[in-house]
Amino acid sequence: MEDKIDFHLMPCLEQRALRTAAAFLWNQDDIRPLTTGFSFRSFIDDYSMKMWRTNIEDKVKEKVSRLLLPKRMKEEISLLIPPIGAEILKWKYYHNEFLNEKLFEFFLTRKLCWTSLGTIDYKKTAELLVRSPKLDIVNRYRLACVYCLRDDIQSLWESLPEEYQNLFYNKKDADGVRQQKLVVLWTYIIKGEERKLSNLIKADENNFTLNEFAFKFAALTGNKIATKYFFQRLTFEEREKLLLRIAKEVAYKHTIADAVPYRFRYFAFHRTCYSDVLVYLLTQLNGEEQKKIFQNSAYHILSCFQDWPWQELFLQTAEHMWNFLPEEYYEYLLTTLLENRNKCGYKYQEIFGTYWLQSPGTFKEYIIDKHRSIEFLYQLFKSKDAENIQLVLRDVSASDKERLIVSGTGVRVCHMFIFREEWHSLQLFIQKCTLSSEAVLRLKQDFAEFLESIYRAGQMRYRKRKWDRFYQILDDPGMVFIENGECSTTQVDGSSSNKRERVKKITDEKRSKRRKQQ
């Protein structure tokens, strides 16, 4: 029997207090209207998240700076502000269809329940919602079904007017009911007409029982509350048949959730909720079953453990994964850790450094010598995290550092920085690769050939200023023309009058061409 890994988290008393403090700051009178009024098309939309951080999250962090607490504690609370705030956004993401803006403000003020992990307690919050007369009875019934609140389902059904009951029930069978499947299931369960669900179940799995079908549906939509409810109602044989299979599917679903078109995510919880479901399922597996899922789903499981609040499990679990994790997926994990530093995560830079130190030499060699991933190098230097950059490069020889940039990969990374005008990151990349004069010459030649392969002559001329700036950095990597992360226009771009002259010249040339064509 393999040793079973414990996936339960129990923050220390200090951490629990800090997370409570962070949640309290998000619930201040001047912050609530901002969170309730915030609109978004998708939680993962980069523009929406930028607006969230700029307009709301930064204001909460300002409150932290004014707290009369030791500096260390304020720093800890500041780290907790993004993931705690993201919890509110995730909750809103799913409940948008149930609550309007006024109700959001009311429930965010009084009704959100929190766990000791710093996450919203969906079940306790739902219990308060379905028992509140401020929410219309139809949505209270739907929420009760989603969260498997059986007593509330029964009482609310009896209180529903007949015309509303017809929204959830069809006398013939359940196929014609256009509601979330859990709502349909519960409606026929409380009416004692489970047999009418047979066609609905067979359409998905031919040999499934009602509880098996409900368990699978709940897990694969990221609904931990319903997953737990129906798992507890499975027989031993049903658990043996389904548990490992569904755990693998949940881990995979988490990885691909963002790639699923938004219109097909209807009724699904936010992507990170799959991590909550997976952790619950992993606790139900024995040691041998855990090893089996590690063998088949190492990357997907570790991806889940990059989500709040499970980051502590990432390093703990990674120790058991090296024999099962392909090198290319190791690279993906490192890259996502770097990408996540600007998202609603927690201590990603610290996790990245520790994970790199734990990594076997063959994995590091794959990253530096064999594969040289464009995205990994781009994200590493974009992070401007001097400590982790030094950590990655500390055992790399001067010649290997040079090959990182004087290569097809290096040229493309440089182009990404130039195209996005991330000059500080580009300068850092060049400095850390310590180029010889011969390497600089070769890089210029390779870069020029690369540009000719992807741009037409007119496009080249239009972007000439950027290419010239790149060559300036190559000639003098230590030159100081970057101020506060932006390029100094006086030294690089020239004066504003020169800019106007260039614009006028380009405009005149375009007018001249149009006249000739006419």
Side-chain angles (χ1 to χ4, degrees):
M1 176 71 71
E2 294 282 339
D3 292 336
K4 180 176 178 177
I5 299 175
D6 183 10
F7 289 102
H8 291 94
L9 279 184
M10 183 55 66
C12 65
L13 190 60
E14 179 182 327
Q15 266 296 312
R16 292 167 67 179
L18 293 172
R19 295 177 190 201
T20 300
F24 176 78
L25 291 173
W26 274 102
N27 197 39
Q28 296 298 290
D29 291 341
D30 58 332
I31 300 299
R32 280 196 307 272
L34 300 177
T35 57
T36 55
F38 185 78
S39 60
F40 53 92
R41 290 178 300 171
S42 165
F43 179 73
I44 60 170
D45 178 77
D46 289 340
Y47 177 77
S48 296
M49 290 310 302
K50 182 179 180 181
M51 293 299 100
W52 172 266
R53 287 192 293 268
T54 303
N55 299 328
I56 307 177
E57 187 180 291
D58 287 350
K59 288 182 172 60
V60 183
K61 287 183 176 180
E62 285 179 18
K63 291 180 175 291
V64 177
S65 65
R66 296 195 294 269
L67 294 175
L68 299 177
L69 292 172
K71 182 180 178 181
R72 183 188 65 82
M73 293 186 71
K74 288 198 284 189
E75 289 174 350
E76 284 287 332
I77 295 175
S78 291
L79 287 173
L80 291 165
I81 292 302
I84 297 289
E87 280 293 301
I88 298 172
L89 201 52
K90 284 160 50 180
W91 186 84
K92 185 176 182 179
Y93 172 90
Y94 181 76
H95 293 84
N96 252 339
E97 64 171 299
F98 301 106
L99 307 175
N100 60 36
E101 190 169 312
K102 286 186 177 179
L103 288 173
F104 265 124
E105 185 168 1
F106 175 79
F107 290 119
L108 286 175
T109 304
R110 301 173 177 83
K111 301 295 184 180
L112 283 185
C113 302
W114 293 83
T115 71
S116 61
L117 296 177
T119 59
I120 291 176
D121 190 320
Y122 278 60
K123 184 177 181 181
K124 288 184 178 179
T125 302
E127 288 172 345
L128 295 174
L129 285 171
V130 300
R131 294 163 194 170
S132 171
K134 286 185 173 290
L135 185 61
D136 67 272
I137 192 168
V138 171
N139 278 322
R140 286 162 63 194
Y141 177 74
R142 292 168 68 203
L143 277 171
C145 293
V146 167
Y147 291 106
C148 300
L149 306 176
R150 180 157 192 152
D151 292 341
D152 294 292
I153 295 169
Q154 186 71 52
S155 62
L156 287 168
W157 177 258
E158 293 170 358
S159 302
L160 274 172
E162 185 176 349
E163 64 268 25
Y164 290 150
Q165 288 185 353
N166 292 335
L167 296 172
F168 307 105
Y169 177 72
N170 184 312
K171 286 185 179 181
K172 185 179 179 181
D173 60 37
D175 284 356
V177 181
R178 295 292 176 260
Q179 295 287 338
Q180 186 190 137
K181 288 180 181 178
L182 280 178
V183 179
V184 178
L185 294 180
W186 273 112
T187 300
Y188 285 83
I189 289 171
I190 61 172
K191 289 184 69 64
E193 299 180 13
E194 291 92 333
R195 58 184 175 77
K196 292 184 179 180
L197 295 167
S198 59
N199 289 337
L200 181 68
I201 296 171
K202 286 179 181 178
D204 185 74
E205 292 279 358
N206 195 36
N207 297 316
F208 266 26
T209 64
L210 171 58
N211 286 333
E212 287 176 320
F213 174 79
F215 167 66
K216 176 189 172 184
F217 176 82
L220 296 185
T221 53
N223 186 340
K224 179 188 173 183
I225 307 304
T227 299
K228 185 175 180 179
Y229 181 91
F230 285 104
F231 177 76
Q232 292 171 345
R233 280 149 185 80
L234 297 177
T235 65
F236 177 79
E237 290 76 17
E238 289 171 340
R239 293 185 184 189
E240 287 284 298
K241 179 176 81 172
L242 279 183
L243 181 55
L244 191 58
R245 169 192 158 183
I246 298 301
K248 291 177 184 176
E249 290 186 28
V250 168
Y252 177 72
K253 195 77 178 284
H254 167 274
T255 309
I256 67 165
D258 287 347
V260 177
Y262 184 75
R263 64 184 181 277
F264 296 131
R265 295 186 228 164
Y266 193 50
F267 295 137
F269 283 70
H270 184 261
R271 178 185 64 84
T272 57
C273 293
Y274 290 103
S275 302
D276 304 336
V277 174
L278 179 66
V279 171
Y280 171 73
L281 297 179
L282 288 174
T283 62
Q284 308 304 314
L285 296 171
N286 61 38
E288 291 181 2
E289 290 170 328
Q290 286 182 350
K291 184 176 180 180
K292 285 181 181 178
I293 194 172
F294 291 169
Q295 289 173 333
N296 294 290
S297 307
Y299 166 70
H300 302 302
I301 292 171
L302 290 175
S303 292
C304 287
F305 290 159
Q306 291 189 20
D307 292 335
W308 173 262
W310 308 113
Q311 288 93 336
E312 290 179 34
L313 295 177
F314 179 88
L315 294 172
Q316 170 190 324
T317 310
E319 296 177 2
H320 303 271
M321 297 290 200
W322 295 117
N323 291 331
F324 314 124
L325 185 68
E327 291 172 332
E328 62 267 28
Y329 287 115
Y330 167 70
E331 173 210 314
Y332 296 159
L333 289 169
L334 287 174
T335 303
T336 52
L337 281 171
L338 291 167
E339 290 174 334
N340 284 339
R341 73 191 181 280
N342 289 326
K343 296 182 181 178
C344 299
Y346 181 61
K347 294 189 176 181
Y348 282 117
Q349 289 173 295
E350 181 181 318
I351 294 170
F352 176 93
T354 306
Y355 188 48
W356 179 266
L357 288 172
Q358 288 180 355
S359 307
T362 53
F363 283 78
K364 296 175 185 175
E365 183 183 347
Y366 174 83
I367 293 288
I368 299 299
D369 296 334
K370 294 181 181 178
H371 189 57
R372 299 178 196 157
S373 162
I374 295 173
E375 190 62 26
F376 172 76
L377 287 173
Y378 171 74
Q379 292 295 340
L380 177 64
F381 286 94
K382 182 182 178 181
S383 71
K384 306 184 191 73
D385 181 357
E387 186 175 335
N388 278 330
I389 291 172
Q390 183 63 33
L391 195 64
V392 171
L393 298 180
R394 69 176 184 176
D395 296 323
V396 180
S397 67
S399 59
D400 284 339
K401 287 179 184 177
E402 201 169 83
R403 281 199 296 272
L404 281 177
I405 190 169
V406 186
S407 63
T409 295
V411 166
R412 284 167 173 78
V413 172
C414 289
H415 179 258
M416 289 173 73
F417 284 132
I418 296 166
F419 185 79
R420 298 171 187 179
E421 299 194 0
E422 294 167 342
W423 301 106
H424 189 281
S425 299
L426 174 65
Q427 191 174 33
L428 188 62
F429 184 36
I430 293 169
Q431 287 174 344
K432 292 296 181 181
C433 289
T434 56
L435 296 172
S436 64
S437 56
E438 293 82 4
V440 169
L441 181 60
R442 182 184 163 194
L443 180 56
K444 286 182 178 180
Q445 293 171 343
D446 291 348
F447 187 74
E449 291 174 4
F450 173 74
L451 294 180
E452 289 175 1
S453 70
I454 63 171
Y455 290 114
R456 295 190 296 271
Q459 294 173 315
M460 291 278 285
R461 288 194 299 272
Y462 181 73
R463 294 171 173 83
K464 184 177 183 301
R465 179 181 60 84
K466 291 184 178 182
W467 316 145
D468 289 345
R469 185 177 297 174
F470 171 53
Y471 296 138
Q472 279 183 290
I473 300 174
L474 281 178
D475 290 334
D476 185 5
M479 68 186 297
V480 181
F481 68 92
I482 295 179
E483 300 172 357
N484 300 322
E486 299 295 335
C487 296
S488 168
T489 56
T490 56
Q491 294 187 35
V492 179
D493 291 340
S495 66
S496 58
S497 62
N498 288 338
K499 280 186 176 180
R500 286 194 295 271
E501 289 173 7
R502 288 198 301 272
V503 171
K504 184 177 183 301
K505 183 178 179 181
I506 293 171
T507 305
D508 290 342
E509 288 176 354
K510 288 182 178 179
R511 286 174 179 169
S512 177
K513 284 182 180 179
R514 283 199 295 268
R515 289 194 193 100
K516 289 179 180 178
Q517 289 172 354
Q518 292 172 354

